[in-house]
Amino acid sequence: MNFLLYSKSQDEIKAIQYKKIKRIVLYAYEKSPFYRQLYKSLDFHPEDLKCYDDIKKIPIVKRIELKNTPVEKILTTKDYSKLHLHTTSGSSGIPVKFYYNNRELWLKNYGVIRSYLKMGMKFTDTTVALRDPIDIRKKGIYEKVGILAYDYYNIYESITKIYEAICNKYDKIDVLKGMPSDLMNLAYHIRNGKRKFPKVKLLISDCEVLDDFSRKYISETFHREILDYYASVENGCIAFQLPRSKKYFINEDQILLENRTPSSNLGDAVITNLRNTTFPIIRYQIGDMIDFGDGKSDLDSIKLRTINKIYGKYLDFIILPDKTIVSPHIPKQELTHLSGIKKFQIIQRDFSKIVIKIEKDIDYQEDTEKEILKRLDRVFHHQIVCSIEYDQQLSIKTTNKFKCIQSDIAQSFLSDNPIKS
């Protein structure tokens, strides 16, 4: 695997980024009706890109714009029957579809593998992955011979079943990976029952933002420093942590990460995907807040720019009255693709009460409310009373730190359950 990127100077990396973004912007202007119309309406033309600093002249695109625009107007090809479709998880309440061709998907996977290997994974390691069923794929030829093998565990199964399946199969684990909320669920199960767990060599969180409380709780449970992998469906690997470093290293040859408010270290994340021309993602406001810090590396062997911390869309778990934990992805999945809902937020006030805030879409029906309550009653094992509140300005009132699953008691509950030897 080529790690030459990590030793390049910032001037060399900027030259790579400028060349790529100039090519993508020109291609999008010529082939994508959405970008062409956007750029013309704001009096921007690709020829305005004379140097690296001119990148800030490119108009910013918001998630809601991509969601509300027909796919065929964004794509740069009329035939997308052979493209790979990926959909965001809907943690913001607004799932968005994205497309890749074969080459772009390969480059995305290359960036993922390269960063994992740098984090400490080996080609022959098996990754025990806690995953949403939609992300569980069949084993490829290389996995069958023990190369970058994955062993998936469905997060919609009970945590008891997941725990027992892992412990029955492993004495030690090469790589344990999952979203922070699911790793927290497993960690609580281990602590609460004073249970043993196989020794973990490498511990990785991904997809959701890893907050300080979760980082400490998970690391102490598995007796291993947790390394966070900052990624998204639309961009692949954005940044990643390495052992002995508290900072995140940006995947700079594939991603251009900007601070929309450069006057402050804490600002909106704006991302350009430097791989994709099929479904261009150019200066895209992803919705996360980032502490950009000074951007300097704290490891002499790596020249990549860094960020200090990520604040964004993360999910709380729901705690039932019987003190069991429900993965946040289960109620989220029940509502994300339910017709009639534009945006939603599930808020747990206490052990017995949950409020669901709904922003209606145009196709909301009378039976939709009954269906929402029926689904969540089943998910929460008939233990919690759910009520619905309607708010047609939920999208406006929520901030970049919006969580579609929010528990007012989760962290305090776990704080009262320390590690017991």
Side-chain angles (χ1 to χ4, degrees):
M1 187 64 64
N2 184 0
F3 291 108
L4 292 178
L5 168 68
Y6 303 128
S7 61
K8 290 184 180 295
S9 69
Q10 270 300 302
D11 286 342
E12 290 174 314
I13 291 174
K14 283 185 175 181
I16 292 171
Q17 292 178 327
Y18 173 65
K19 181 180 179 180
K20 288 185 176 181
I21 197 170
K22 188 172 182 178
R23 176 179 63 88
I24 290 172
V25 168
L26 177 60
Y27 195 78
Y29 186 85
E30 294 176 344
K31 303 290 186 179
S32 169
F34 167 77
Y35 279 101
R36 183 166 59 253
Q37 181 179 354
L38 174 66
Y39 292 165
K40 284 185 175 181
S41 68
L42 297 175
D43 198 27
F44 170 79
H45 192 277
E47 292 180 358
D48 295 335
L49 292 175
K50 305 294 185 183
C51 64
Y52 183 89
D53 290 341
D54 288 338
I55 290 173
K56 62 180 177 292
K57 297 179 180 179
I58 304 172
I60 289 176
V61 174
K62 296 182 178 180
R63 178 185 292 260
I64 191 67
E65 293 179 275
L66 296 186
K67 177 181 182 294
N68 292 338
T69 302
V71 169
E72 59 270 17
K73 290 188 177 296
I74 301 174
L75 286 169
T76 58
T77 176
K78 293 182 179 180
D79 180 15
Y80 53 95
S81 59
K82 296 182 180 180
L83 298 178
H84 301 273
L85 169 63
H86 296 258
T87 306
T88 61
S89 65
S91 60
S92 65
I94 308 175
V96 184
K97 294 180 179 179
F98 295 89
Y99 290 84
Y100 304 90
N101 62 27
N102 288 333
R103 177 180 178 277
E104 291 160 352
L105 186 61
W106 185 91
L107 287 172
K108 178 184 177 182
N109 291 337
Y110 166 78
V112 171
I113 293 171
R114 181 178 62 183
S115 60
Y116 279 148
L117 292 176
K118 195 64 178 177
M119 294 170 85
M121 181 188 292
K122 295 181 180 179
F123 277 110
T124 53
D125 282 347
T126 295
T127 297
V128 173
L130 309 182
R131 275 292 176 261
D132 187 310
I134 197 171
D135 297 323
I136 297 177
R137 53 181 171 77
K138 294 181 179 179
K139 288 186 177 181
I141 297 176
Y142 53 90
E143 288 186 270
K144 292 179 180 179
V145 297
I147 303 298
L148 297 174
Y150 269 67
D151 187 13
Y152 293 103
Y153 292 83
N154 184 348
I155 59 172
Y156 293 170
E157 298 281 2
S158 72
I159 195 63
T160 300
K161 185 174 181 179
I162 293 173
Y163 169 82
E164 291 176 349
I166 293 175
C167 291
N168 288 337
K169 188 171 183 179
Y170 294 97
D171 295 321
K172 60 181 180 179
I173 295 174
D174 296 327
V175 183
L176 176 63
K177 184 173 73 171
M179 301 182 196
S181 55
D182 294 314
L183 291 174
M184 286 285 284
N185 195 357
L186 179 59
Y188 170 70
H189 185 74
I190 293 169
R191 291 192 190 196
N192 188 50
K194 301 181 183 179
R195 298 175 174 90
K196 293 183 178 181
F197 193 75
K199 184 177 180 180
V200 177
K201 183 181 73 173
L202 183 61
L203 181 61
I204 299 176
S205 65
D206 62 356
C207 297
E208 297 168 8
V209 172
L210 180 67
D211 63 90
D212 291 338
F213 179 86
S214 298
R215 181 185 293 277
K216 185 174 185 295
Y217 193 95
I218 295 168
S219 294
E220 289 180 349
T221 302
F222 295 104
H223 308 290
R224 180 64 57 191
E225 175 190 13
I226 186 168
L227 302 179
D228 195 25
Y229 178 82
Y230 178 39
S232 68
V233 170
E234 57 268 45
N235 294 294
C237 174
I238 299 171
F240 54 94
Q241 287 187 307
L242 297 177
R244 306 178 306 281
S245 174
K246 294 182 179 180
K247 296 183 177 181
Y248 291 76
F249 294 85
I250 303 171
N251 188 25
E252 290 194 275
D253 64 337
Q254 295 195 352
I255 294 295
L256 177 61
L257 181 63
E258 301 175 72
N259 181 358
R260 192 183 179 193
T261 52
S263 60
S264 170
N265 283 342
L266 184 64
D268 291 325
V270 175
I271 293 179
T272 299
N273 187 324
L274 298 174
R275 298 181 305 266
N276 282 30
T277 57
T278 303
F279 192 107
I281 302 170
I282 305 169
R283 301 205 78 206
Y284 171 67
Q285 190 174 355
I286 193 172
D288 295 339
M289 293 290 286
I290 287 181
D291 177 0
F292 284 84
D294 59 12
K296 295 180 180 179
S297 170
D298 55 357
L299 294 180
D300 293 338
S301 60
I302 300 183
K303 307 301 181 184
L304 299 179
R305 285 175 57 242
T306 63
I307 53 179
N308 289 341
K309 195 173 182 179
I310 301 135
Y311 304 85
K313 294 176 285 294
Y314 60 97
L315 305 179
D316 283 336
F317 29 82
I318 301 297
I319 302 174
L320 301 181
D322 65 2
K323 305 304 186 290
T324 59
I325 289 178
V326 174
S327 168
H329 304 286
I330 301 176
K332 178 176 69 69
Q333 182 65 22
E334 289 288 346
L335 301 190
T336 293
H337 302 291
L338 184 60
S339 177
I341 299 177
K342 186 175 183 181
K343 196 163 189 172
F344 68 88
Q345 189 174 35
I346 298 174
I347 304 173
Q348 182 174 26
R349 300 300 189 192
D350 54 45
F351 286 112
S352 60
K353 183 179 180 181
I354 281 180
V355 174
I356 307 103
K357 293 188 176 182
I358 299 292
E359 182 176 344
K360 299 179 183 178
D361 209 344
I362 55 174
D363 52 351
Y364 192 91
Q365 304 292 328
E366 288 186 13
D367 291 339
T368 305
E369 179 174 314
K370 294 181 181 179
E371 183 63 24
I372 292 171
L373 294 174
K374 177 183 176 182
R375 292 187 180 197
L376 293 185
D377 185 50
R378 181 180 66 249
V379 166
F380 300 137
H381 305 291
H382 317 290
Q383 294 186 37
I384 297 181
V385 176
C386 296
S387 61
I388 294 178
E389 295 179 1
Y390 294 101
D391 188 341
Q392 287 309 105
Q393 293 186 319
L394 186 59
S395 298
I396 298 174
K397 291 180 179 179
T398 53
T399 68
N400 285 322
K401 297 182 182 180
F402 174 69
K403 297 189 292 184
C404 70
I405 309 292
Q406 176 181 318
S407 173
D408 296 341
I409 64 173
Q411 291 196 0
S412 60
F413 171 76
L414 290 177
S415 296
D416 294 333
N417 289 271
I419 296 177
K420 300 175 183 179
S421 59

